[in-house]
Amino acid sequence: MDLTRRQWLIAFLIGIATVLAALFGWRAAQIGSTAAFNDRQSISETIKVEQRDINATIAAVGDAGEYARYRADYAEAQALDAQATRLDDAGSPELAAASRAEARSLRSGATLRAADAGVFGRFTITNDLRSPRPQPRPFDFDAHLAALVAEAETGLTSPGVLDPDGWADDSEGIRDRVNGLVVWAFLLILAVFFYTIAEVFSKYRILAYSAMAVGVCIFLFAAIGGFTVDFLA
């Protein structure tokens, strides 16, 4: 290959590598803006999740207080039943019946009040509302809190299923791609450096061809790697 043709080839390779490096830089900037958007979404949804959890926790604590009142009423009703038994034993059936009626009324009121407060769902205690059970219903705070969170996620005013970690993971993945594109662009600039050496020392054929060969290898490695790993991902 004569000197002029080699110089044209080197100039062409320098141009291709420079354009490709600029293309990788443009792509890195483009997807970098997507990472910034994902960061904002992650922060926004994190705040919403915290607000939802705080509101649910406050509601669950309030319901736990109502449940304590419900248990206290049941404890008082049990005391009235015990009193009725003693009155029966003492030969006062009328007073015993009144005591039992008061106990039933107390249980009924406690059940209705707990249902109105949201401690128990009305559909789950329909039978209790018609005929209160003799023993109080159990209350699982953690399960109740989880139910309130699920209700907040599916309600009419709910923002939908929130996934701040998913947005953050996507953002992190995009940043990995940006860093990869920067590396590929740097390698392309490195290829340009070797092309330049080949151009400067064009009179020394062995050095010029060696530098050009190294530049071509680096260029192919960076171009193939950049397109297959990061640019088209």
Side-chain angles (χ1 to χ4, degrees), residues 2-233:
D2 58 39
L3 185 59
T4 302
R5 290 179 60 187
R6 188 167 68 245
Q7 288 175 334
W8 275 107
L9 177 60
I10 292 174
F12 173 76
L13 292 174
I14 290 175
I16 290 294
T18 302
V19 169
L20 197 55
L23 184 62
F24 284 173
W26 167 82
R27 182 59 174 166
Q30 184 185 48
I31 65 176
S33 63
T34 303
F37 171 79
N38 288 351
D39 283 337
R40 291 192 296 271
Q41 286 294 112
S42 178
I43 293 171
S44 174
E45 291 198 2
T46 297
I47 293 173
K48 291 177 181 178
V49 167
E50 292 295 333
Q51 290 176 336
R52 180 200 66 196
D53 291 347
I54 289 172
N55 292 336
T57 300
I58 291 173
V61 169
D63 291 342
E66 290 292 335
Y67 179 73
R69 185 179 178 185
Y70 165 82
R71 289 293 300 259
D73 287 344
Y74 258 80
E76 186 175 348
Q78 288 174 350
L80 289 170
D81 284 337
Q83 178 179 300
T85 300
R86 289 194 297 272
L87 289 171
D88 275 334
D89 294 340
S92 302
E94 293 181 357
L95 292 176
S99 183
R100 289 191 178 93
E102 185 178 354
R104 285 194 298 271
S105 177
L106 198 59
R107 290 189 180 96
S108 179
T111 302
L112 182 61
R113 187 169 54 250
D116 289 340
V119 179
F120 308 115
R122 283 184 171 273
F123 293 107
T124 63
I125 60 169
T126 302
N127 293 333
D128 289 10
L129 292 173
R130 287 197 296 265
S131 177
R133 57 170 60 192
Q135 298 298 324
R137 276 181 169 269
F139 180 80
D140 187 330
F141 180 84
D142 292 335
H144 188 65
L145 177 59
L148 290 175
V149 171
E151 183 180 347
E153 288 180 346
T154 57
L156 293 177
T157 59
S158 169
V161 178
L162 301 174
D163 186 20
D165 291 338
W167 287 104
D169 291 342
D170 289 344
S171 179
E172 191 64 28
I174 290 173
R175 283 196 171 82
D176 290 340
R177 289 176 57 195
V178 169
N179 293 335
L181 287 168
V182 170
V183 171
W184 300 125
F186 172 78
L187 289 176
L188 290 169
I189 298 302
L190 184 61
V192 171
F193 171 74
F194 280 100
Y195 294 152
T196 304
I197 291 177
E199 174 65 20
V200 172
F201 297 97
S202 59
K203 293 182 179 180
Y204 304 95
R205 296 186 60 183
I206 295 178
L207 179 59
Y209 281 119
S210 298
M212 189 164 60
V214 172
V216 168
C217 291
I218 295 175
F219 170 81
L220 291 175
F221 175 73
I224 295 172
F227 274 110
T228 57
V229 176
D230 293 304
F231 190 90
L232 300 176

